[in-house]
Amino acid sequence: MTFKYNNVYLNETSTVAGRLESEGPLSTKYDKVYKDFYMGTKTWEQAEIKMITECVDILLNKSDKKKEDINAFISGDLLNQIAASSYAASTLKIPYIGIYSACATSTLGLILGSNMIEGKMMNNVVVNVSSHNNASEKQFRYPVEYGGPKRATTTFTTTGAASALLSYNKSGIKIESGTLGTVIDSGIKDAYQMGAVMAIAACDTISKHLKETKRTIDYYDLVLTGDLGIYGKKILKEALEKEYGMNTNNVDDAACIIYNIEEQSVYSGGSGPACLPLVAYSYIIEEMKKGNLNRVLLVATGALMNTNLVNQHLTIPSIAHAISLEVLI
Amino acid sequence: MTFKYNNVYLNETSTVAGRLESEGPLSTKYDKVYKDFYMGTKTWEQAEIKMITECVDILLNKSDKKKEDINAFISGDLLNQIAASSYAASTLKIPYIGIYSACATSTLGLILGSNMIEGKMMNNVVVNVSSHNNASEKQFRYPVEYGGPKRATTTFTTTGAASALLSYNKSGIKIESGTLGTVIDSGIKDAYQMGAVMAIAACDTISKHLKETKRTIDYYDLVLTGDLGIYGKKILKEALEKEYGMNTNNVDDAACIIYNIEEQSVYSGGSGPACLPLVAYSYIIEEMKKGNLNRVLLVATGALMNTNLVNQHLTIPSIAHAISLEVLI
C-alpha cells in the first residue's frame, strides 16, 4: 500500500557507527564512531543501547528540538524483544512506539512517522534503528568466540545506530511517498541465504511502488535497497530486468556500499537494521544536499527469521518497505 | 501523549483461546477454543501462528470485509522477532506493520491503527496480538518439561489470539482517545515481579491520560488494566489512591478476570499480550453492547524484559498504553 505525503520533511539525520564501518568507504561520514565493540560499557547489548541514546542526542543537538518537543520515538532493533530500543526509550523519556521488521525496520519507522505527521496526529517524530554485530551473532548464530567458518553468501551485521527527525517543518528534503510492504514467503529454509530471501520482497515492493505511483524506475536517480549483499543484489536486478523489463542501472544496495567487500572480511556485505540508514543518513543525504541526487527510493529489506522456526524447517518470510525522498527545488 | 479521535470505530473483534482460558470464567465467550497446546500443528510456535490466522479469518467472516479491503495488519506477540505475527502475515498477504510492546502490544496497535484512520491515511485496519503459554515459557524461562516450582508473584502467560477491526465506518463502539505511553524504569531486577514492574507504568499512563483529557477517574465505568495480576493490581490501586487521591472502585485487571485464580494453577493471574484483549474483545465488548458499560479505558501494560539484560542485572523497563472506548448512544 502506497501513501502520498504533501507535508512531511526529513529535517535531520544522525549516525553512530562501529569499528568495521569506520574502516569502510564511508568512514568520514558518520557523526561518531567507536573502535571497539564494548564502547565503554560492559556488554555488547549495553553498547547497542548506548549507541541509540547517543545517536538521538546528536540528532536533537543538530536540530532546534528538545526531547519534550518530540511526540514519539519510533524504534526497533535485532535484539530479542527489541530490547536495545526499549532500554534506550527508558532513558530518553519520549512516548515510545516499538516496531520490528528485521532489517526493513528503518523504512517501516519512516512510513509510520510520515503517516502520523501527514495525518496531523503528530508534529515531530524521531525514527531510529540499531544493530550490533556481536550481540546479533551470539543471538542468531554461534558464540562469537567460536569463530566458525561461514559461507560466502553470509552477510555481516553492521554495528551502528541511525536516527531521523521528521516533521511538517519544511526542509531541503521532502518525504514524498511510502510503500508499506507485504510479507512474502521466500520458499527458502537456509538462514545463510538472506540476500536471496530478501531480494524477492524487494522486487515485490519496488514493483508495487512503481505501479501505485504510476512511475517507471528511471523516475529515481537512485533506488537503494538494503541489505541484500552482492548475491541478493544480483538476484534482484535480474528479477527486475527479466520479469518487469526494467533497466536497473540506478539500483544499488547499501550492503555493498558500507564496506570494502574485497578488503574487509564481511562475506557478501553488510546487514542489520542499521545498514541501510547508516549509508542513507550519511552519504546519500549528503549527495542529495550537494544536488548530485534528487530523487531517491530507499527500500529496506528484512528477513523475518526466528531461530526456532528455522530449526523447525519452516521457510523464511521476508518483507520490504519503501520510502521516496525528494530534494526540494 | 494523548490523541483524540472523532472518526474511529471498533467494528468487530474476535478471539481464539487455549485450554486454561477455555476452563476459566469466560469459557463461553471466545469464538474458538483449543483443548490442547499443539492445536493440530507439530510445535507450540506453529500453534500460535495458526491461532492468529484463524482469529483474523473469524474477524473478517464476522464483518463484511475481505482481506483485500484491509490496509494494514498490525500485529505483535511474545516470540522472539515477533515471529508468530510475521509468519501469520505471510499467509494473510495484508500489508504488515510488526510492533512490539510486550503485554502492552494490543493497545499500542489500537493507537497506531486509530491514528492512521483518524488522519485519513487508512480506511480499514486489523490489529492483532497473540501469546502461547508453552512457547513463551520455553523462551523466557525454563523448558516446560523441567516443571520447576514458581513463586506466587509469577503470572501465567495466556494462550490465545485476539483481533480487532477498526475503521471510519460507524459502529456501536467508538474509539474515543488513546494515550501513548512512555517507558518507565521500574528499578526492579527480578523477572518474577512483573506485576510490580508494570504497575508503575500503568499508574503513569492512567494519570497522564486523565490529566491530558481533563477527566477524573470516575469518568470511566471501568478502567481495565492488563496484566498486573493480584499483586500488581494491589500496587496500582494503592498508588492511584495514595499518590493521586483517586477512588479505584472502577479499576480491575484482566489478569484477575481471565482465570479462576483460586482454582486454576495460574499463580497471581494471567499475562501475555493476549490476556487483556481476550477479556476485552469477548466479555467487556459484550457488556458494552448490553449497555452495562458505556465508557471503558483499556490500559495494557508491558514489561520490556530481555533475558540477556536481566542476566546482566539491569532493571526492567515497563510501559503502558491506554485506549478509551465509548458506546455510541
Side-chain angles (χ1 to χ4, degrees), chain B residues 105-140:
Chain B
T105 303
S106 57
T107 44
L108 174 61
L110 292 173
I111 291 171
L112 286 177
S114 300
N115 276 2
M116 289 192 280
I117 292 168
E118 181 73 17
K120 301 196 196 312
M121 303 304 292
M122 293 188 182
N123 299 336
N124 302 297
V125 175
V126 169
V127 179
N128 176 82
V129 291
S130 67
S131 42
H132 189 295
N133 181 275
N134 302 26
S136 185
E137 280 297 309
K138 90 182 215 201
Q139 178 184 282
F140 284 105

Side-chain angles (χ1 to χ4, degrees), chain A residues 195-206:
Chain A
V197 167
M198 297 188 290
I200 303 161
C203 186
D204 184 70
T205 295
I206 292 169

Side-chain angles (χ1 to χ4, degrees), chain B:
Chain B
M1 180 182 196
T2 298
F3 308 96
K4 180 86 179 78
Y5 306 123
N6 295 310
N7 301 295
V8 189
Y9 299 90
L10 182 64
N11 289 157
E12 201 54 81
T13 59
S14 62
T15 52
V16 175
R19 197 183 79 193
L20 271 85
E21 296 70 30
S22 75
E23 294 167 353
L26 309 184
S27 57
T28 60
K29 310 226 178 266
Y30 305 118
D31 291 313
K32 184 163 188 174
V33 296
Y34 281 99
K35 292 293 179 183
D36 88 280
F37 284 108
Y38 289 96
M39 306 175 186
T41 73
K42 284 183 181 173
T43 69
W44 299 323
E45 292 81 7
Q46 292 175 39
E48 187 168 348
I49 299 166
K50 186 179 179 180
M51 284 195 294
I52 300 176
T53 54
E54 288 190 339
C55 198
V56 174
D57 280 344
I58 293 168
L59 183 81
L60 296 179
N61 281 338
K62 281 186 182 182
S63 78
D64 58 348
K65 296 285 186 293
K66 292 174 191 162
K67 281 175 191 169
E68 303 79 59
D69 302 323
I70 308 301
N71 301 126
F73 172 62
I74 302 178
S75 187
D77 58 87
L78 283 185
L79 291 191
N80 291 339
Q81 295 81 46
I82 56 167
S85 294
S86 300
Y87 273 79
S90 178
T91 306
L92 291 170
K93 304 269 171 239
I94 302 168
Y96 171 51
I97 298 171
I99 59 172
Y100 184 78
S101 199
C103 308
T105 303
S106 57
T107 44
L108 174 61
L110 292 173
I111 291 171
L112 286 177
S114 300
N115 276 2
M116 289 192 280
I117 292 168
E118 181 73 17
K120 301 196 196 312
M121 303 304 292
M122 293 188 182
N123 299 336
N124 302 297
V125 175
V126 169
V127 179
N128 176 82
V129 291
S130 67
S131 42
H132 189 295
N133 181 275
N134 302 26
S136 185
E137 280 297 309
K138 90 182 215 201
Q139 178 184 282
F140 284 105
R141 298 176 189 97
Y142 297 104
V144 178
E145 297 80 356
Y146 179 68
K150 291 186 170 180
R151 273 186 275 162
T153 52
T154 311
T155 49
F156 186 89
T157 307
T158 50
T159 300
S163 303
L165 174 65
L166 314 185
S167 83
Y168 59 64
N169 295 317
K170 236 178 200 177
S171 73
I173 297 173
K174 183 182 172 177
I175 303 194
E176 185 271 334
S177 61
T179 300
L180 184 65
T182 302
V183 180
I184 307 286
D185 177 5
S186 69
I188 296 168
K189 297 180 181 181
D190 179 354
Y192 293 93
Q193 292 285 1
M194 291 306 188
V197 167
M198 298 188 289
I200 303 161
C203 187
D204 184 68
T205 295
I206 292 169
S207 59
K208 278 181 185 156
H209 175 81
L210 295 176
K211 193 181 167 194
E212 288 167 9
T213 55
K214 295 180 180 139
R215 290 171 188 167
T216 51
I217 196 163
D218 58 3
Y219 178 88
Y220 290 102
D221 300 321
L222 172 68
V223 174
L224 185 73
T225 56
D227 32 26
L228 302 179
I230 50 179
Y231 300 104
K233 177 175 150 183
K234 197 161 173 275
I235 295 168
L236 171 66
K237 285 193 161 214
E238 279 182 13
L240 290 176
E241 286 163 14
K242 289 185 183 162
E243 287 180 38
Y244 296 93
M246 294 181 194
N247 180 328
T248 63
N249 285 344
N250 58 345
V251 176
D252 208 341
D253 185 69
C256 306
I257 296 175
I258 195 163
Y259 299 121
N260 290 313
I261 296 183
E262 301 284 311
E263 293 163 29
Q264 296 180 286
S265 299
V266 292
Y267 315 98
S268 71
S271 63
C275 180
L276 177 120
L278 277 182
V279 173
Y281 296 172
S282 59
Y283 172 52
I284 302 300
I285 295 293
E286 195 179 286
E287 290 298 300
M288 294 184 84
K289 286 183 179 169
K290 282 182 189 167
N292 296 333
L293 294 168
N294 286 314
R295 291 165 173 171
V296 173
L297 188 69
L298 302 178
V299 188
T301 60
L304 301 167
M305 189 191 79
N306 166 281
T307 50
N308 271 330
L309 294 173
V310 168
N311 290 338
Q312 291 173 23
H313 306 294
L314 264 60
T315 52
I316 303 171
S318 67
I319 196 163
H321 307 288
I323 274 281
S324 158
L325 302 179
E326 287 198 8
V327 174
L328 278 192
I329 305 172

